[in-house]
Amino acid sequence: MKSDRIKFPAGFWAGLQRVGIDPYDVARKARLPLTILAESAVVTTAQYYKIWQAYSDLIGDTAIGIIKLATAFETTQYPPTVLATYHARDYRDALNRMARYKRLCPPESLHIVEEGERCTIELEWMHSEEPVPPVLVGITLAFLLELGRRGTGKPLTALSVEFSHSMGDVATLKAYFGCPIRTGATANRLTLHRSDLDRPFLSYNKELLEILTPVLDRSLEEQGSRSIAEMVKWILKRSLSGGHLDIRAVAKELGMSDRTLQRRLTDECTTFKKLLTQARHEKAREYLADPTLDIKEVAFLLGYEDQNSFYRAFRMWEGDTPSNWRFEYVESN
């Protein structure tokens, strides 16, 4: 199961600059803090979508934005998950690795089916209450073909491409993919010539894969071992300032019913209410450690309707007032 935490590779921002888009303009257009441009920045799915939509708005035409960026990424700036696909043995190995390692980060999943002379790759989205920007759908499918072209050194073409939304200048997409483009489809799919999957990669690097594969596989195992309670608490911390928090909304984000979530939390000897209290307590200490935030603002950021409710809760947690706790924290640091 995926958590709603996405780290942009540094190559993304460099790619934007190569197509003439200033990353600062994207952040401003998306109405997000400039801290998202930092190398270690982690964003939520909603923020991730806003960034892609901002890029699309700035570039103008969706199709042109897709092709420009798909071809602008330099292989030297691929993150480890993509490097492990670029240096695969052949195109099939690369695609299977891509589907496997997608689970480590972005909110999309790849479903690959080989049948007859066709290989169909369908995109599925997690945490997708927010509408997925068409430019992100397009670039994800375009990059799968770009990967095959770069790895094999051949000008591979697709059999067909289907998009569920309008994609701008379809002629641009047709020229890039080398096949018919269909919009308004029931799903987003890239269909390849199955015979192309057997093509060896010129970029195959056995030694590098022997280093990368165990590290990435271990990360997958660690992600799978994260408890439901940890994920719930992370979602709560991220959503506190939004006000009303209920188990149904969190369960939906985790892709399960509220009853299932309650059962899973009971199995881990905790409750939604306990996790909400812990999330507020931990974030309260974090916010109070920042002297630029006044107490009233901290109460708001924690989702309290009034300052007095926050005061009562904090006294129960720490046996002291927020202002006294802050004073002692500052004195001791």
Side-chain angles (χ1 to χ4, degrees):
M1 183 183 299
K2 293 184 184 188
S3 65
D4 188 23
R5 314 166 78 164
I6 301 160
K7 184 178 175 183
F8 269 98
F12 172 78
W13 305 112
L16 287 186
Q17 287 174 317
R18 272 194 292 280
V19 300
I21 299 289
D22 189 330
Y24 287 95
D25 290 340
V26 171
R28 280 190 284 267
K29 183 86 177 169
R31 295 185 176 179
L32 293 173
L34 297 179
T35 50
I36 62 160
L37 305 178
E39 218 167 288
S40 58
V42 175
V43 298
T44 65
T45 301
Q47 291 171 328
Y48 183 68
Y49 289 166
K50 280 180 185 173
I51 291 166
W52 280 104
Q53 190 56 55
Y55 163 68
S56 185
D57 293 343
L58 288 167
I59 206 83
D61 184 85
T62 304
I64 290 168
I66 290 164
I67 308 313
K68 271 191 170 184
L69 201 54
T71 52
F73 284 119
E74 289 186 2
T75 50
T76 52
Q77 291 189 307
Y78 284 165
T81 47
V82 181
L83 269 182
T85 64
Y86 178 64
H87 293 298
R89 184 180 296 277
D90 53 35
Y91 196 11
R92 177 179 286 103
D93 183 25
L95 290 172
N96 287 331
R97 284 173 182 271
M98 182 67 83
R100 179 170 167 75
Y101 298 135
K102 275 280 180 198
R103 286 158 49 201
L104 280 172
C105 201
E108 71 263 23
S109 298
L110 303 179
H111 183 58
I112 302 174
V113 176
E114 290 187 47
E115 201 168 43
E117 296 177 356
R118 309 159 76 84
C119 170
T120 303
I121 306 168
E122 187 170 318
L123 270 183
E124 294 168 352
W125 299 90
M126 314 292 283
H127 305 300
S128 58
E129 279 183 51
E130 308 272 336
V132 183
V135 72
L136 175 56
V137 174
I139 202 150
T140 304
L141 294 185
F143 185 73
L144 295 174
L145 183 60
E146 186 69 20
L147 177 66
R149 286 174 174 171
R150 292 189 185 196
T152 63
K154 305 284 183 187
L156 305 182
T157 58
L159 265 170
S160 68
V161 184
E162 298 162 79
F163 294 111
S164 55
H165 294 91
S166 170
M167 301 300 288
D169 182 8
V170 174
T172 298
L173 294 174
K174 191 175 178 182
Y176 176 79
F177 285 101
C179 68
I181 304 292
R182 183 182 161 209
T183 57
T186 54
N188 297 294
R189 291 189 200 94
L190 169 70
T191 302
L192 300 168
H193 300 270
R194 193 178 181 185
S195 56
D196 284 339
L197 270 54
D198 297 316
R199 293 180 183 273
F201 267 25
L202 304 175
S203 48
Y204 174 50
N205 187 326
K206 185 174 179 240
E207 292 75 21
L208 186 60
L209 284 181
E210 283 173 356
I211 297 167
L212 284 175
T213 304
V215 173
L216 293 171
D217 286 351
R218 196 156 52 246
S219 296
L220 273 175
E221 285 166 20
E222 284 166 7
Q223 187 189 64
S225 67
R226 288 181 75 229
S227 71
I228 290 291
E230 282 179 301
M231 287 192 273
V232 168
K233 200 198 283 189
W234 191 88
I235 291 168
L236 287 171
K237 282 183 176 181
R238 169 173 60 71
S239 314
L240 286 174
S241 61
H244 182 64
L245 292 163
D246 61 29
I247 192 167
R248 193 171 299 168
V250 175
K252 193 170 184 182
E253 192 156 335
L254 288 168
M256 61 180 76
S257 70
D258 50 337
R259 287 181 67 183
T260 301
L261 178 55
Q262 275 175 325
R263 192 172 64 250
R264 297 283 294 273
L265 291 175
T266 302
D267 290 345
E268 292 181 15
C269 302
T270 189
T271 65
F272 183 79
K273 192 175 178 181
K274 273 186 194 171
L275 292 172
L276 177 55
T277 301
Q278 286 171 18
R280 278 184 161 150
H281 186 184
E282 288 168 22
K283 289 303 284 185
R285 291 173 64 99
E286 188 182 314
Y287 289 141
L288 288 170
D290 180 354
T292 64
L293 296 172
D294 63 44
I295 307 291
K296 193 174 181 181
E297 202 173 348
V298 171
F300 168 76
L301 289 170
L302 295 172
Y304 287 100
E305 288 180 12
D306 61 81
Q307 202 170 321
N308 289 337
S309 300
F310 169 51
Y311 266 80
R312 282 194 299 272
F314 195 82
R315 284 196 79 116
M316 210 162 59
W317 300 331
E318 296 285 341
D320 208 344
T321 66
S323 46
N324 283 348
W325 186 93
R326 170 177 272 173
F327 178 77
E328 287 180 17
Y329 175 86
V330 171
E331 286 291 297
S332 63
N333 285 277

